[in-house]
Amino acid sequence: MGGGNWRSAETQASYTSYSKSVSAAKSVDQVFQKSRMAASLDPKNITLRESCDGPDNPESTPIIIALDVTASMGMCALHIAKTGLDETMNGIFDRNPVTNPHVMFMGVGDAEYDSAPLQVSQFEADFRIVEQLNDLYVERGGGGNHSESYDLPWYFAGMKTKTDSFDKRGKKGYVFTMGDERPPKRLTARSLTSVFGTEEQHDISSADSLRMAEEKYHVFHLIIEEGSYARRYPNEVRREWEQLMHHRALFVNDHRYVSQVILSAIQVSEGGDPEQVINSWDDTNIQNTVRRALGL
């Protein structure tokens, strides 16, 4: 998948119409209206997701954005739907840190408690990104185990994606997960069987799931510090994410700027000078949020 282009006249016209329809939305439910997981997004029905080069995108770059859709994190999904996606896509084209973005959205919950702990869209490059984003079921679940299943996107990226970017050019894509809780310790065999519909015999540690994803992707996690859990246990959240991901644990103090943090992380990963990247943002609040996220 991945035909078309975000900057095409057709996509821009469709997005303008969509943007007007959601601009006044005050709640997650006004934008995300699904009452259950769509069959097309259910990992049980997915053998492989592919990001393929084509006439519209001859040097595609796969970018996975995994949104925490539990009770405390709906604000991020709403922001991405209303303005964040357009900011991210236009920022990639304007700043050009990578070529021909192919975007996949995931919805992430809790594999131990939720009915839809992982939802996975196709890789897309045009208005179909929006259509699939809006197919996400915001379950508002989660549990009392002090983490969400942020390792499910890593496992999926490592095991169930195929990208021309890596296979043809040896160039990694990007995975950004985001949420406010601690990192999980492991994916149990029971959870893997339940989520993917295949019989699994062994647990997989989160560190191993992360390593599988890192073979083909630069992997980051955005810790949304406004979330209730991160506010309640800030020291524990910071310590455990830094132990697992080091400088790729990005602490975000304002969810309105997640797009700028994502863009900045990509620019720095692609060789950009961190200070120049930070100063490229006109708004001082954005600069401060990006600086904090990059650990500078």
Side-chain angles (χ1 to χ4, degrees), residues 225-292:
E225 295 178 294
E226 297 158 283
S228 58
Y229 191 94
R231 293 199 312 271
R232 193 178 307 126
Y233 304 106
N235 296 331
E236 294 85 349
V237 169
R238 175 174 287 275
R239 181 180 64 250
E240 293 186 24
W241 276 111
E242 288 181 340
Q243 287 175 348
L244 180 64
M245 299 193 70
H246 309 291
H247 67 283
R248 291 189 172 168
L250 309 179
F251 292 84
V252 180
N253 60 8
D254 193 328
H255 75 279
R256 295 175 300 171
Y257 305 135
V258 294
S259 302
Q260 289 84 356
V261 169
I262 287 172
L263 287 165
S264 298
I266 294 174
Q267 286 185 269
V268 171
S269 292
E270 296 294 325
D273 177 81
E275 288 295 336
Q276 290 182 6
V277 170
I278 291 167
N279 292 328
S280 70
W281 301 107
D282 294 334
D283 189 311
T284 301
N285 292 324
I286 296 176
Q287 291 178 5
N288 292 338
T289 294
V290 170
R291 181 179 296 280
R292 178 177 177 80

Side-chain angles (χ1 to χ4, degrees), residues 3 23 27 31 34 43 47 63 69 80 84 99 115-116 135 154 163-164 191 235 258 278 291:
S23 62
S27 71
V31 176
K34 299 294 183 182
T47 301
I63 299 173
V69 293
I80 291 290
T99 54
S115 66
D135 275 342
W154 304 337
T163 73
D164 282 351
S191 292
N235 296 331
V258 294
I278 291 167
R291 181 179 296 280

Side-chain angles (χ1 to χ4, degrees), residues 6 14 18 32 34 41 85 105 121 124 126-136:
W6 187 259
S14 296
Y18 165 80
F32 297 93
K34 299 294 183 182
L41 305 183
L85 172 59
F105 275 107
S121 80
E124 299 289 3
D126 57 11
F127 189 71
R128 284 169 288 192
I129 301 171
V130 178
E131 294 171 338
Q132 298 212 25
L133 170 63
N134 275 261
D135 275 342
L136 289 179

Side-chain angles (χ1 to χ4, degrees), residues 27-84:
S27 71
V28 174
D29 293 339
Q30 289 177 299
V31 176
F32 297 93
Q33 299 181 5
K34 299 294 183 182
S35 59
R36 63 180 61 85
M37 176 165 53
S40 61
L41 305 183
D42 189 339
K44 293 186 184 71
N45 301 326
I46 301 169
T47 301
L48 198 67
R49 289 296 201 221
E50 296 181 278
S51 168
C52 300
D53 298 341
D56 297 319
N57 300 284
E59 293 189 11
S60 57
T61 302
I63 299 173
I64 298 172
I65 300 175
L67 302 171
D68 184 330
V69 293
T70 61
S72 63
M73 283 288 101
M75 59 188 176
C76 287
L78 183 60
H79 170 73
I80 291 290
K82 292 179 69 172
T83 61

Side-chain angles (χ1 to χ4, degrees), residues 84-293:
L85 172 59
D86 193 47
E87 291 171 348
T88 301
M89 294 300 290
N90 285 321
I92 291 173
F93 281 103
D94 291 342
R95 292 169 176 257
N96 198 35
V98 295
T99 54
N100 305 137
H102 279 181
V103 175
M104 167 195 285
F105 275 107
M106 295 186 182
V108 182
D110 192 311
E112 297 297 319
Y113 292 92
D114 294 342
S115 66
L118 182 66
Q119 303 167 72
V120 184
S121 80
Q122 298 277 1
F123 285 108
E124 299 289 3
D126 57 11
F127 189 71
R128 284 169 288 192
I129 301 171
V130 178
E131 294 171 338
Q132 298 212 25
L133 170 63
N134 275 261
D135 275 342
L136 289 179
Y137 165 41
V138 179
E139 187 169 3
R140 297 177 179 273
N145 51 357
H146 298 284
S147 68
E148 309 299 357
S149 297
Y150 307 118
D151 45 358
L152 280 172
W154 304 337
Y155 179 89
F156 190 99
M159 297 293 291
K160 289 182 172 288
T161 67
K162 184 179 186 300
T163 73
D164 282 351
S165 177
F166 186 76
D167 293 343
K168 290 183 177 181
R169 295 181 291 281
K171 186 172 177 58
K172 291 184 178 183
Y174 286 86
V175 175
F176 294 93
T177 54
M178 62 183 76
D180 68 326
E181 297 205 15
R182 303 183 199 185
K185 301 301 183 185
R186 67 186 59 81
L187 281 170
T188 66
R190 183 185 66 180
S191 292
L192 287 166
T193 298
S194 174
V195 172
F196 294 101
T198 54
E199 189 65 34
E200 300 291 341
Q201 301 298 321
H202 303 287
D203 296 355
I204 298 178
S205 72
S206 294
D208 283 342
S209 293
L210 178 59
R211 279 191 286 270
M212 288 191 293
E214 287 177 332
E215 291 181 8
K216 295 185 287 188
Y217 296 90
H218 302 289
V219 183
F220 295 85
H221 181 75
L222 279 63
I223 299 92
I224 309 301
E225 295 178 294
E226 297 158 283
S228 58
Y229 191 94
R231 293 199 312 271
R232 193 178 307 126
Y233 304 106
N235 296 331
E236 294 85 349
V237 169
R238 175 174 287 275
R239 181 180 64 250
E240 293 186 24
W241 276 111
E242 288 181 340
Q243 287 175 348
L244 180 64
M245 299 193 70
H246 309 291
H247 67 283
R248 291 189 172 168
L250 309 179
F251 292 84
V252 180
N253 60 8
D254 193 328
H255 75 279
R256 295 175 300 171
Y257 305 135
V258 294
S259 302
Q260 289 84 356
V261 169
I262 287 172
L263 287 165
S264 298
I266 294 174
Q267 286 185 269
V268 171
S269 292
E270 296 294 325
D273 177 81
E275 288 295 336
Q276 290 182 6
V277 170
I278 291 167
N279 292 328
S280 70
W281 301 107
D282 294 334
D283 189 311
T284 301
N285 292 324
I286 296 176
Q287 291 178 5
N288 292 338
T289 294
V290 170
R291 181 179 296 280
R292 178 177 177 80

